[in-house]
Amino acid sequence: MRNIILGLVGVGRIGVMHANNISALNGILHPRGLNIHLRLTDVATDHAQKTAAGLGAEYLPSVGELIASGVDGLVIATGTATHPDLIRAGVDAGIPVFCEKPVALNVTDSLPVVDYIKQNNGVVQIGHQRRFDDGYLEAKRAYQSGELGWIHSLRAVTCDMTPPPVEFLATSGGLFRDCSVHDFDILRWLTGREIVEVYAKGSNNGDQAIGDVGDVDTALAVVTFDDGTVGTVSASRYNGAGHDVRLEIQGSRRSLMVGLDEHSALTSAEAATDFPAGEPHRTFAERFNQAYRSEMAAFVELILGERENPCSPEDAVAASRVADAAQESLVTGAPVKVDLGSSR
């Protein structure tokens, strides 16, 4: 039995989710002769110690001590502003790193981090979990196989049931950067094409406090790909029906919908139609429970050298460039060309 030790930094909401998923990996990886151990740290000492005790994990007082303890991989689930230094620390230690998106607060701050990773031969996987969702994987397979024909339009939707705290929104960078960036990433990943232009509009009909911190609660972006294909990306903080994440791909032969199942947060206006029959998801963690677990299993495979990096820092920066263009268009009211840079 081979022991794999993962070090986790940050046990807030998403950090606790990752901690639980890491602990659950043993049920998946034991048959392969792998035994997963978790060590964690957080500046919120009492909470971190309680989390560790509840999971049978080991608590360490600092990031430095965590890395020095001999972990095989570092999982970063802290605030965005801390990502660059923690990524560099993992790279300096010569261990693979998993970091929640984004790489840094903005593209400008991300680029030196990406360069540092390259210069030091670092291995860093960024957390865009939709790449591991079964529906998106099937959509990509169907598209690449030619079953859908050529794509004439795509429609991506991400709607939260309730908005996050205004304190978070005040520093999130806006709806496109903290929410729709997942759609921008998945559109690039699925089609293999770059988004070259964005035209965005937004509204704020919910809590005025969201507008007071410079954000909108609902937005729509029309995106144009480098081959001329068009699509839309819409998002909202106020989808009372439930957490709604879908992608509609319309091709010359077939159309396919990701996220259309018994948990879909919608109902039909047609008579004698009772689909969907299940309860809608309420949070992103529910909607992507399987994807988050698969994402962490993929990180272990990356540590073992069994797979290519499923989401590179360059990919994450490319999605952020599109989000930046969408935010600029939202402010200016004009279409904005995406700065493709050297992100690919």
Side-chain angles (χ1 to χ4, degrees):
M1 185 72 70
R2 178 175 177 179
N3 292 319
I4 302 293
I5 304 172
L6 296 183
L8 171 67
V9 185
V11 286
R13 178 177 61 166
I14 200 162
V16 169
M17 181 192 70
H18 283 312
N20 280 296
N21 288 342
I22 290 169
S23 298
L25 281 177
N26 280 317
I28 301 171
L29 299 177
H30 261 148
R32 295 182 51 193
L34 299 173
N35 193 30
I36 309 299
H37 298 275
L38 174 63
R39 295 172 183 167
L40 58 82
T41 191
D42 194 292
V43 293
T45 303
D46 291 344
H47 175 60
Q49 290 177 330
K50 290 177 182 177
T51 301
L55 293 172
E58 183 179 353
Y59 166 78
L60 287 100
S62 70
V63 176
E65 291 171 271
L66 181 73
I67 292 175
S69 73
V71 295
D72 298 299
L74 183 67
V75 177
I76 300 169
T78 52
T80 301
T82 67
H83 290 181
D85 286 344
L86 290 172
I87 289 173
R88 290 188 180 99
V91 170
D92 288 345
I95 55 176
V97 174
F98 173 92
C99 183
E100 271 302 325
K101 63 87 182 166
V103 174
L105 287 169
N106 52 57
V107 169
T108 300
D109 291 344
S110 297
L111 295 179
V113 182
V114 173
D115 289 341
Y116 191 86
I117 295 168
K118 290 179 181 177
Q119 292 163 5
N120 292 277
N121 298 313
V123 177
V124 179
Q125 175 185 340
I126 304 298
H128 275 289
Q129 86 286 348
R130 294 188 192 185
R131 294 178 177 219
F132 300 91
D133 177 77
D134 287 342
Y136 286 106
L137 286 165
E138 170 58 19
K140 183 171 185 175
R141 184 208 63 76
Y143 170 66
Q144 292 183 330
S145 72
E147 293 175 16
L148 307 182
W150 55 269
I151 303 303
H152 61 77
S153 56
L154 301 105
R155 298 180 181 88
V157 176
T158 297
C159 296
D160 289 328
M161 186 173 182
T162 56
V166 173
E167 293 77 13
F168 166 78
L169 299 181
T171 60
S172 73
L175 183 58
F176 286 121
R177 291 192 179 106
D178 80 68
C179 183
S180 297
V181 68
H182 285 289
D183 293 298
F184 298 140
D185 174 72
I186 212 67
L187 289 173
R188 293 182 66 254
W189 170 81
L190 192 149
T191 63
R193 310 211 70 94
E194 296 290 355
I195 297 171
V196 297
E197 185 181 86
V198 186
Y199 179 46
K201 288 288 186 180
S203 63
N204 191 14
N205 295 322
D207 188 351
Q208 182 54 43
I210 294 177
D212 291 343
V213 298
D215 202 1
V216 294
D217 61 46
T218 302
L220 173 70
V222 178
V223 299
T224 303
F225 293 83
D226 55 12
D227 65 346
T229 302
V230 294
T232 59
V233 173
S234 61
S236 180
R237 308 284 194 190
Y238 283 101
N239 199 63
H243 188 75
D244 187 10
V245 177
R246 288 174 281 125
L247 174 62
E248 183 179 356
I249 310 164
Q250 291 189 295
S252 59
R253 296 179 183 171
R254 283 182 59 203
S255 293
L256 200 61
M257 176 77 85
V258 178
L260 186 64
D261 62 16
E262 66 273 14
H263 299 292
S264 295
L266 50 82
T267 54
S268 175
E270 305 302 325
T273 301
D274 58 3
F275 175 86
E279 289 293 318
H281 297 298
R282 301 180 66 86
T283 67
F284 70 90
E286 289 180 21
R287 169 65 177 82
F288 291 108
N289 177 56
Q290 164 267 316
Y292 278 116
R293 289 173 179 263
S294 297
E295 179 182 57
M296 203 49 59
F299 180 54
V300 172
E301 293 173 350
L302 185 64
I303 292 172
L304 296 172
E306 296 178 353
R307 68 174 300 156
E308 296 293 321
N309 191 340
C311 187
S312 70
E314 290 85 354
D315 278 331
V317 170
S320 291
R321 288 184 188 275
V322 182
D324 283 355
Q327 188 67 27
E328 180 181 345
S329 178
L330 183 65
V331 172
T332 64
V336 173
K337 298 290 185 183
V338 178
D339 176 13
L340 298 179
S342 57
S343 59
R344 218 166 174 175

